[in-house]
Amino acid sequence: MPRAGLSTAAVVDAALDLIDDRGLEALTLAAVAERTGVAAPSLYKHVGSLAQLRTLMAVRIMEELIERSTSALVGRSGDDAVAALMRTYRRYALEHPARHAAMPPDPLHDPALASSGARLLEIFLAVLRGYGLEGEAAIHATRCLRAIVHGFASIETAGGFGLPEDLDTTHEQLIHMFIASLPRTSS
C-alpha cells in the first residue's frame, strides 16, 4: 500500500527539489526515495522507472515554463512580447538550472511529452504571428528564437561566459538582434 500523502505528483516534486538542490546528475530513484522517506521499491507504486520519472519531470518543467511565459505575455504584443518571452525563459533557467538542463530537446516526437511540447511551441508561434509569420517562415523564426534563448541560458547556467562583461547587457543585445531580424508588417 502506498505511503499516505505520497503520490506521483509528490514524487515528481521531490525529484525536482532534488535536482534543484544537487543537480541533474544526482537524480536516482534511491535519492528520490530517501527524499520522500520511503524505500526505493515503494516508488514503483507511483513511477515505473527512472525514465518515466524523467518524463514526468519534463512535462512538469514545460508546464512551469508555459505558465510563466503565458503570465509574462498577457497584454503584450510585438517586440514587447518577444522581449518578455526571452527574458522569462532566461529567468526560469537561471532560477532552475537543473530543470532547464532536463528540458527535452524534441518533446513533439515523444507521445508522453507532445501535448506540453505543442503548447510551449504555440506560445513561440503566437508571439511571432504578430510579425505576419506563418507556416515555414514561422517555424524557421521559432527555431532561431529557441536556439537563442536555450543556447544563451545553457551556456550561462553552465558557467560558460567567463569574461567580466555584464551578461544582462549581452542578453539585451541578443533580444534586440533577434527583434531586428523579424519582418515588419505595414499598417
Side-chain angles (χ1 to χ4, degrees):
M1 175 157 258
R3 188 184 109 200
L6 192 61
S7 63
T8 301
V11 172
V12 173
D13 289 341
L16 291 170
D17 289 345
L18 173 71
I19 67 168
D20 284 344
D21 292 345
R22 296 180 31 209
L24 190 54
E25 61 282 347
L27 181 65
T28 65
L29 288 177
V32 174
E34 181 180 324
R35 192 163 277 249
T36 59
V38 300
S42 297
L43 289 182
Y44 290 107
K45 295 177 176 103
H46 305 285
V47 294
S49 65
L50 183 58
Q52 183 189 21
L53 178 57
R54 285 180 184 273
T55 297
L56 294 170
M57 292 167 62
V59 168
R60 177 81 65 81
I61 291 163
M62 286 188 292
E63 292 296 327
E64 288 174 351
L65 196 52
I66 289 164
E67 182 179 321
R68 284 194 184 195
S69 297
T70 301
S71 293
L73 293 171
V74 170
R76 298 177 190 265
S77 63
D79 297 352
D80 188 37
V82 171
L85 179 59
M86 292 176 79
R87 289 181 190 120
T88 298
Y89 190 101
R90 178 181 180 225
R91 193 170 25 258
Y92 182 84
L94 290 174
E95 290 172 11
H96 301 289
R99 292 181 193 207
H100 178 259
M103 290 257 311
D106 186 15
L108 298 178
H109 292 95
D110 180 334
L113 303 174
S115 176
S116 295
R119 289 178 54 227
L120 187 55
L121 172 62
E122 182 52 38
I123 290 171
F124 282 69
L125 291 170
V127 165
L128 295 171
R129 264 189 221 104
Y131 297 90
L133 294 169
E134 296 288 337
E136 209 175 282
I139 296 302
H140 291 304
T142 298
R143 285 178 179 160
C144 290
L145 177 54
R146 182 179 178 211
I148 291 168
V149 296
H150 186 81
F152 189 90
S154 295
I155 295 168
E156 184 176 13
T157 58
F161 293 126
L163 299 175
E165 285 73 20
D166 181 59
L167 288 173
D168 292 340
T169 300
T170 305
H171 193 258
E172 289 301 311
Q173 287 177 1
L174 274 175
I175 291 170
H176 295 295
M177 285 171 56
F178 180 74
I179 288 171
S181 78
L182 295 170
R184 297 293 156 183
T185 56
S186 53
S187 302

